[in-house]
Amino acid sequence: MTTEPTGPTGPAEPTRPTEPAEPTGPIGPTEPTGPAASEGPTREPAPKQDTTTHSWLRDHSELGVCALLLAIGALVLTDALTMSVDIAQRGPIGPRTVPFVVGSALLLVAVLLAVDVLRGGRGEAEGGEDVDLDEPADWRTVLLLSGVFLATAVLIGPLGFPIAGALLFWGSAYALGSRHHDRDPLIAAVLSLATYFLFDNLLGVPLPGGPLMGVI
């Protein structure tokens, strides 16, 4: 068995050409040092967002209420002007009078509020109400009021508005906690008769009179 000679007389490995060393110093690439090195590559500043519009809208948020009032007023006026009056109008006051007045008042309030807001007027922040959120809902009152409304809707046809309206006012007062049994029925009867007289005689809106049709 022959062995390959080693040492100076053995086969020499081919030498690789040496790469030129990267120059350093003043003329070579230098790494940034100091705070700039830790921050990494510099980025272009992001364009500033225009917050002027958002700030103006936030400071004049009450204009949303003005727009809502304006829309409701326009809707009420449109409904009043396009209302078909099939009944005979008695005097200068008809079914269109009340919605026309309400719609005009809503438009006027919306304009005045918008002017006040644009002049710098701001609404005062409301104080927190003394409400215990841990208390359960008063379902008894809700059920009583619902029953009173349903009973009025059922009885207004056979009994008429004067009697059904009196039951509505009296029942609502009882459900909300009033226990003046000697005073509440009288107040309810007066309110019901006044409402019936206002709509039936003054506004020309007929309401069912029931058994009292020939009396009142």
Side-chain angles (χ1 to χ4, degrees):
M1 181 176 60
T2 60
T3 59
E4 294 182 358
T6 60
T9 59
E13 294 180 357
T15 59
R16 298 178 179 177
T18 58
E19 298 179 356
E22 195 174 34
T24 58
I27 60 174
T30 58
E31 297 181 356
T33 58
S38 60
E39 294 178 359
T42 58
R43 298 179 180 178
E44 296 181 358
K48 296 181 179 180
Q49 298 180 354
D50 186 11
T51 59
T52 304
T53 304
H54 297 283
S55 177
W56 188 89
L57 291 176
R58 183 173 60 252
D59 295 338
H60 299 81
S61 58
E62 291 88 350
L63 291 177
V65 180
C66 302
L68 180 61
L69 293 176
L70 191 67
I72 296 176
L75 180 61
V76 172
L77 280 180
T78 303
D79 188 53
L81 294 176
T82 57
M83 179 186 302
S84 58
V85 182
D86 297 333
I87 58 177
Q89 180 174 336
R90 303 175 184 177
I93 300 178
R96 297 179 179 177
T97 305
V98 173
F100 186 80
V101 172
V102 172
S104 302
L106 287 173
L107 293 181
L108 180 61
V109 170
V111 172
L112 294 178
L113 181 59
V115 171
D116 180 69
V117 172
L118 293 177
R119 288 182 176 180
R122 296 295 301 274
E124 297 181 0
E126 295 183 1
E129 296 182 358
D130 188 11
V131 178
D132 189 2
L133 299 179
D134 297 330
E135 289 291 330
D138 189 1
W139 291 108
R140 178 178 178 274
T141 302
V142 175
L143 293 177
L144 284 176
L145 286 175
S146 302
V148 169
F149 292 149
L150 290 176
T152 303
V154 173
L155 297 176
I156 193 173
L159 298 182
F161 183 84
I163 298 177
L167 294 177
L168 171 64
F169 295 134
W170 186 15
S172 300
Y174 181 84
L176 294 175
S178 179
R179 295 297 182 268
H180 298 282
H181 302 294
D182 54 344
R183 184 182 63 186
D184 292 344
L186 296 177
I187 296 176
V190 171
L191 288 175
S192 180
L193 291 175
T195 304
Y196 178 83
F197 180 79
L198 175 65
F199 279 88
D200 190 76
N201 291 2
L202 295 182
L203 299 179
V205 179
L207 295 176
L212 301 179
M213 179 67 74
V215 178
I216 58 177

